[in-house]
Amino acid sequence: MQLGRNRIEALTDGVFAVAMTLLVLDIKVPELEQSLSSAELPFRLLALWPKFLTYAISFVILGVYWVGHHMQLSFIRSADRPLLWINILFLLWVALVPFSTALLSEYTKHRLAIAVYGANLIAIGLTLALHWWYATAGTRHVDPDTHPGLVRAAMARTLTGPLLYLIAIAISFFSTGLSLVVYALVPILYVLPGRVDIHWGKRHHEKPKPDQAAADRH
Amino acid sequence: MQLGRNRIEALTDGVFAVAMTLLVLDIKVPELEQSLSSAELPFRLLALWPKFLTYAISFVILGVYWVGHHMQLSFIRSADRPLLWINILFLLWVALVPFSTALLSEYTKHRLAIAVYGANLIAIGLTLALHWWYATAGTRHVDPDTHPGLVRAAMARTLTGPLLYLIAIAISFFSTGLSLVVYALVPILYVLPGRVDIHWGKRHHEKPKPDQAAADRH
Amino acid sequence: MQLGRNRIEALTDGVFAVAMTLLVLDIKVPELEQSLSSAELPFRLLALWPKFLTYAISFVILGVYWVGHHMQLSFIRSADRPLLWINILFLLWVALVPFSTALLSEYTKHRLAIAVYGANLIAIGLTLALHWWYATAGTRHVDPDTHPGLVRAAMARTLTGPLLYLIAIAISFFSTGLSLVVYALVPILYVLPGRVDIHWGKRHHEKPKPDQAAADRH
Amino acid sequence: MQLGRNRIEALTDGVFAVAMTLLVLDIKVPELEQSLSSAELPFRLLALWPKFLTYAISFVILGVYWVGHHMQLSFIRSADRPLLWINILFLLWVALVPFSTALLSEYTKHRLAIAVYGANLIAIGLTLALHWWYATAGTRHVDPDTHPGLVRAAMARTLTGPLLYLIAIAISFFSTGLSLVVYALVPILYVLPGRVDIHWGKRHHEKPKPDQAAADRH
């Protein structure tokens, strides 16, 4: 289902692009009452720091998940109905991020906001793991000669995020500030290369086989 | 008109991605008055449940229609002006969904809101059926050897949704809650495989013929 | 510059998809004060009719311009910097449509709103005409054997809209209602086939020449 | 990593399309109090001029950066993880532009607003320069025979914007109006052709080599 993969990518890239760009709508321009001197503006802008921080964290985390989806699809050769729907469920959680980000930016010190935000990220991560599990189980949708080490490395990498977000939620019972630090640091793990890159790199640097070349065209 | 199909897909995927992601704008972060204790937040978040429910229902229903459009286009080999405009009419209804969803989430117990929401979904479904009818009548835009069973199975599947949504509207005269249940259950029918998948699967697993391969490239 | 055309299309389709879908944000769910009976809702929804009308008109008009751009690009074989920038200017006007539509829907009887809306549509149309003129002058960016009749037919078709919108603005001095009728009817002209379709059809039904086939792939 | 480039383009085009179109949300339809005569509308629309001006400036500047990214990618043959992340950082700044534009349009005479807007544009420009530096250092991701003159010309062109925006910020200490003029004029530099076009033109007008043709397909 080569055509399908092409359009799954298009919808996915579209939802990510919109969700990432909608994050900015949460950062509102401060309105100064006429009575206030415009010297007030710097302080009002500085007071927006939680908005900028959560904007940056969510943008990068969505980037992480986009790259993760991207890498999975680069190994997937075909798709069927369940895979399509796991993908749409994945996007359902992704499109919720502007809400959970706005909630967190409004209530940075409230445990519930931290938990809702973390739960949203965990839901995205687990659905992405399900996507990988479904596609690779019995090499259903990947090349039969896909290295099992790659399958495991990608799964471990995908599940690391949700685990760390769970820890961040737990930490919030002691310090909500520390939870935010964890949220901010996790993406760095993903920006750095991992074991999975060895396989990914090989996949893309070797000359594509004829069949693969045809599939790549999509 | 291979180029055309490519760009029809791009516009369609774009409108779907934006409409699906805009749904989240209806879920507003609760604003707590300073006088209220922040212990109020959990209750205010729980009170948002109709927003989350309608978000999920609409997201999945839009997913269903996106998959349906996707499947139709995978059989369509060419396009002409009427097909292009049926497609734009289809998108006009799709882009209205964020409004009808917001209406339903605000007035979940109001029959009119349930009817407007259902009417929007019916309009999408009927336009998609028109799209299929126009493309397949006299195998105008599909391969001449397209199986008539496939044409009929896809049409039956496309019309099932509008029929069930009509029933949901009728049910609202007795119980608006039950109507919501129908809206929530219909997508499940579409997530499950149907007779049409047999044809779709064959289409994508057989080696593409040379001509078709060229068309697939778009 | 085949790659370029590919990405010009992607940006264009993206801006159109977003602009068309953002139109829905102008249709706000009516808020009923608690004191009002919910029996008020039907009247409040009916009062939204100018919003629905302008939504539909603008959606279809944007569709017309998208198809027009689409048809032009199907003949254009290469692009250079000026063509790229004419295209971005075109998108600048397209992205303004949600504003001018919201203005019109709020002030349907106000001549200025009708003029601003018309001016926006005229700007889009004239930029599209400039795009065509630049691409075809001396067959700069089209196949050297492009039929001059096609070049002229497409130009006449592109300029018809702006001319009619100018007339609609003039009519507003007598009757703003009549202007709206013109705005609503113009797109129908474009939905119907025209002389340009003869050429467009030929272009897509004849077997593509080898060179052209390579270009089509993008 | 041909697939990668394809999807990097899709995400980039999506974020640009959304960011450019979201700019329009800052231009709000004037609300006339019932007590005011509708003769007030022209004055209220004219009072929106800073919104229209900053809309146009930001739209064109985003267009400039989109074209710049576009040109870089047309030379880049492969991508790796750092390049992907430089790209996402680039998009993070791009998606902020609707905010900094809204800030500038609200406080056109406030030095801080001018500085924030300029800083946002500088961040985009420097990240784009980093993208080019990383891709071309040791011809890591470009054809080994890429002309060094091209590499330098593109870098100089990319850095010109940030330099001029820095000057615009400095000028704001004397005249905020003059800063706006600089912001409005800089894009014109980029719309005009430059030394880099000589290379770009050659790249696209010569017959693509077989390898390159394969890469172009994406």
Side-chain angles (χ1 to χ4, degrees):
Chain A
M1 205 182 78
Q2 296 165 356
L3 176 76
R5 209 183 70 175
N6 187 22
R7 290 199 65 188
I8 291 175
E9 288 178 359
L11 187 73
T12 304
D13 293 344
V15 168
F16 269 95
V18 181
M20 288 162 94
T21 319
L22 282 189
L23 290 171
V24 79
L25 295 186
D26 187 42
I27 315 181
K28 301 238 165 55
V29 172
E31 286 179 44
L32 297 182
E33 294 74 29
Q34 300 243 322
S35 59
L36 285 172
S37 143
S38 74
E40 191 72 5
L41 187 59
F43 305 101
R44 297 290 289 273
L45 275 179
L46 280 177
L48 287 176
W49 73 264
K51 302 274 180 189
F52 286 107
L53 179 70
T54 53
Y55 168 81
I57 292 176
S58 288
F59 200 96
V60 175
I61 285 177
L62 284 178
V64 165
Y65 282 126
W66 177 77
V67 172
H69 184 267
H70 185 161
M71 289 182 81
Q72 288 196 8
L73 273 199
S74 76
F75 289 105
I76 291 173
R77 289 281 144 258
S78 60
D80 58 7
R81 191 172 277 279
L83 200 73
L84 204 59
W85 280 103
I86 293 170
N87 201 75
I88 289 176
L89 183 65
F90 171 70
L91 296 180
L92 185 148
W93 301 122
V94 165
L96 260 183
V97 168
F99 166 76
S100 58
T101 304
L103 184 73
L104 181 63
S105 77
E106 189 70 27
Y107 301 104
T108 38
K109 295 183 178 171
H110 202 298
R111 269 199 326 254
L112 184 62
I114 284 170
V116 168
Y117 184 74
N120 193 352
L121 300 184
I122 290 169
I124 300 175
L126 291 184
T127 312
L128 194 58
L130 175 67
H131 190 261
W132 186 237
W133 172 81
Y134 182 81
T136 58
T139 67
R140 195 186 281 129
H141 295 294
V142 293
D143 273 334
D145 57 349
T146 303
H147 197 287
L150 158 79
V151 173
R152 277 195 306 271
M155 184 55 98
R157 193 176 174 95
T158 306
L159 288 174
T160 306
L163 186 69
L164 292 172
Y165 296 134
L166 198 63
I167 292 173
I169 296 176
I171 288 174
S172 73
F173 284 86
F174 305 99
S175 157
T176 53
L178 204 57
S179 298
L180 286 180
V181 171
V182 175
Y183 285 147
L185 293 182
V186 171
I188 295 173
L189 267 184
Y190 284 96
V191 174
L192 298 174
R195 265 194 305 151
V196 79
D197 285 292
I198 306 166
H199 299 276
W200 200 41
K202 270 198 297 199
R203 165 79 187 65
H204 286 293
H205 286 111
E206 69 191 356
K207 267 269 176 268
K209 290 168 285 177
D211 274 3
Q212 219 165 301
D216 272 342
R217 225 154 273 157
H218 303 278
Chain B
M1 203 182 78
Q2 296 166 356
L3 176 76
R5 209 184 69 174
N6 186 23
R7 290 200 65 187
I8 291 175
E9 288 178 359
L11 188 73
T12 304
D13 293 344
V15 168
F16 269 94
V18 181
M20 288 162 95
T21 319
L22 282 188
L23 291 171
V24 79
L25 294 186
D26 187 41
I27 314 181
K28 301 236 165 56
V29 171
E31 286 180 44
L32 297 181
E33 294 73 30
Q34 300 242 322
S35 59
L36 285 172
S37 145
S38 74
E40 191 71 7
L41 187 59
F43 305 100
R44 297 291 288 274
L45 275 178
L46 280 177
L48 288 176
W49 74 263
K51 302 275 179 186
F52 286 107
L53 180 70
T54 54
Y55 168 82
I57 292 176
S58 288
F59 200 96
V60 174
I61 284 178
L62 284 178
V64 165
Y65 282 126
W66 177 76
V67 172
H69 184 267
H70 184 162
M71 289 182 81
Q72 288 196 9
L73 274 199
S74 76
F75 289 106
I76 290 173
R77 289 279 144 259
S78 61
D80 58 6
R81 191 172 278 278
L83 200 73
L84 203 60
W85 280 102
I86 293 170
N87 201 75
I88 289 175
L89 183 65
F90 171 69
L91 296 179
L92 186 147
W93 301 121
V94 165
L96 260 184
V97 169
F99 166 76
S100 58
T101 304
L103 184 72
L104 181 63
S105 77
E106 189 69 27
Y107 302 104
T108 38
K109 294 182 180 174
H110 202 296
R111 269 202 322 258
L112 184 61
I114 284 169
V116 168
Y117 184 74
N120 193 351
L121 300 184
I122 290 169
I124 300 174
L126 290 184
T127 311
L128 193 58
L130 174 67
H131 191 260
W132 187 237
W133 171 81
Y134 183 80
T136 58
T139 65
R140 194 186 282 127
H141 295 294
V142 292
D143 273 335
D145 58 349
T146 303
H147 197 287
L150 158 78
V151 173
R152 278 195 307 271
M155 183 56 98
R157 194 177 173 95
T158 306
L159 288 174
T160 307
L163 186 69
L164 292 172
Y165 297 133
L166 198 63
I167 292 172
I169 295 176
I171 287 174
S172 73
F173 285 86
F174 305 100
S175 157
T176 53
L178 204 57
S179 298
L180 286 179
V181 171
V182 176
Y183 285 147
L185 293 182
V186 171
I188 295 174
L189 267 185
Y190 284 96
V191 173
L192 297 175
R195 265 193 306 150
V196 79
D197 285 291
I198 305 166
H199 299 276
W200 200 41
K202 269 198 298 199
R203 164 82 185 65
H204 286 293
H205 286 112
E206 68 190 359
K207 266 269 174 270
K209 290 168 286 177
D211 274 3
Q212 218 165 302
D216 273 344
R217 225 154 274 156
H218 302 277
Chain C
M1 204 182 76
Q2 295 165 356
L3 177 76
R5 209 183 70 176
N6 186 24
R7 290 200 65 187
I8 291 175
E9 288 177 359
L11 187 73
T12 303
D13 293 344
V15 168
F16 269 94
V18 181
M20 287 162 95
T21 319
L22 282 187
L23 291 171
V24 80
L25 295 186
D26 187 43
I27 315 180
K28 301 238 165 54
V29 172
E31 286 179 44
L32 296 182
E33 293 75 28
Q34 299 242 323
S35 59
L36 285 173
S37 145
S38 75
E40 191 72 6
L41 188 59
F43 305 100
R44 297 290 288 274
L45 276 178
L46 280 177
L48 288 176
W49 74 264
K51 303 273 179 186
F52 286 107
L53 180 69
T54 53
Y55 168 82
I57 292 177
S58 288
F59 200 96
V60 175
I61 284 179
L62 285 178
V64 166
Y65 282 126
W66 177 76
V67 172
H69 183 268
H70 185 160
M71 289 183 80
Q72 287 196 9
L73 274 199
S74 76
F75 289 106
I76 291 173
R77 289 281 145 258
S78 60
D80 58 6
R81 190 171 279 278
L83 200 72
L84 203 59
W85 280 102
I86 294 170
N87 202 75
I88 289 175
L89 183 66
F90 170 70
L91 296 180
L92 186 148
W93 301 121
V94 165
L96 260 183
V97 169
F99 166 76
S100 58
T101 304
L103 184 73
L104 181 64
S105 77
E106 189 70 27
Y107 301 103
T108 38
K109 294 183 180 174
H110 202 296
R111 271 205 318 259
L112 184 63
I114 283 170
V116 168
Y117 184 74
N120 193 353
L121 299 184
I122 290 170
I124 301 174
L126 291 183
T127 312
L128 194 58
L130 174 67
H131 190 261
W132 186 236
W133 172 81
Y134 182 80
T136 58
T139 67
R140 195 185 282 128
H141 294 294
V142 292
D143 273 335
D145 57 350
T146 303
H147 197 287
L150 159 78
V151 173
R152 277 194 307 270
M155 184 54 99
R157 194 175 172 95
T158 306
L159 288 174
T160 307
L163 185 70
L164 293 172
Y165 296 134
L166 198 63
I167 293 171
I169 295 175
I171 288 173
S172 73
F173 285 85
F174 306 100
S175 157
T176 53
L178 205 56
S179 298
L180 285 180
V181 170
V182 176
Y183 286 147
L185 292 182
V186 171
I188 295 173
L189 267 186
Y190 284 96
V191 173
L192 297 174
R195 264 193 307 151
V196 79
D197 284 292
I198 305 167
H199 299 276
W200 200 41
K202 269 197 298 198
R203 164 81 186 64
H204 286 292
H205 286 111
E206 69 191 356
K207 266 270 176 270
K209 290 168 285 177
D211 274 3
Q212 219 163 303
D216 272 343
R217 224 154 274 157
H218 304 276
Chain D
M1 205 183 75
Q2 296 165 356
L3 176 76
R5 208 183 71 176
N6 187 22
R7 291 199 64 187
I8 290 175
E9 288 177 359
L11 187 73
T12 303
D13 293 345
V15 168
F16 269 94
V18 181
M20 287 162 95
T21 319
L22 282 188
L23 291 171
V24 79
L25 295 186
D26 187 42
I27 315 180
K28 301 238 166 54
V29 171
E31 285 179 45
L32 297 182
E33 293 75 29
Q34 299 242 324
S35 59
L36 285 172
S37 145
S38 75
E40 190 72 5
L41 187 58
F43 305 101
R44 297 290 288 274
L45 275 178
L46 281 177
L48 288 176
W49 72 264
K51 303 274 179 187
F52 285 107
L53 180 69
T54 53
Y55 168 82
I57 293 176
S58 288
F59 200 95
V60 175
I61 284 178
L62 284 179
V64 165
Y65 282 125
W66 177 77
V67 173
H69 183 268
H70 185 161
M71 289 183 81
Q72 287 196 10
L73 274 199
S74 76
F75 289 106
I76 291 173
R77 290 280 145 258
S78 61
D80 58 6
R81 191 172 276 277
L83 200 73
L84 203 59
W85 280 103
I86 293 170
N87 201 74
I88 289 175
L89 183 65
F90 171 68
L91 296 180
L92 185 148
W93 301 121
V94 165
L96 259 183
V97 169
F99 166 76
S100 58
T101 304
L103 184 73
L104 181 64
S105 77
E106 190 69 28
Y107 302 104
T108 37
K109 295 184 177 171
H110 202 297
R111 267 199 328 254
L112 184 62
I114 284 170
V116 168
Y117 184 74
N120 194 353
L121 300 184
I122 290 170
I124 300 175
L126 291 183
T127 312
L128 194 58
L130 175 67
H131 191 259
W132 186 236
W133 172 81
Y134 183 80
T136 58
T139 66
R140 193 186 282 128
H141 294 293
V142 293
D143 272 335
D145 57 348
T146 303
H147 197 287
L150 158 78
V151 173
R152 277 195 306 270
M155 184 56 98
R157 193 174 174 96
T158 306
L159 288 175
T160 307
L163 186 69
L164 293 172
Y165 296 134
L166 198 63
I167 292 172
I169 295 176
I171 288 173
S172 72
F173 284 86
F174 306 99
S175 156
T176 54
L178 204 57
S179 298
L180 285 180
V181 171
V182 176
Y183 285 147
L185 293 181
V186 171
I188 295 174
L189 267 185
Y190 284 96
V191 173
L192 297 175
R195 264 194 306 149
V196 79
D197 285 292
I198 306 166
H199 299 277
W200 199 42
K202 268 198 298 198
R203 163 81 185 64
H204 287 292
H205 286 111
E206 69 191 357
K207 267 271 175 268
K209 290 168 285 178
D211 273 3
Q212 218 164 302
D216 272 343
R217 224 153 275 156
H218 303 276

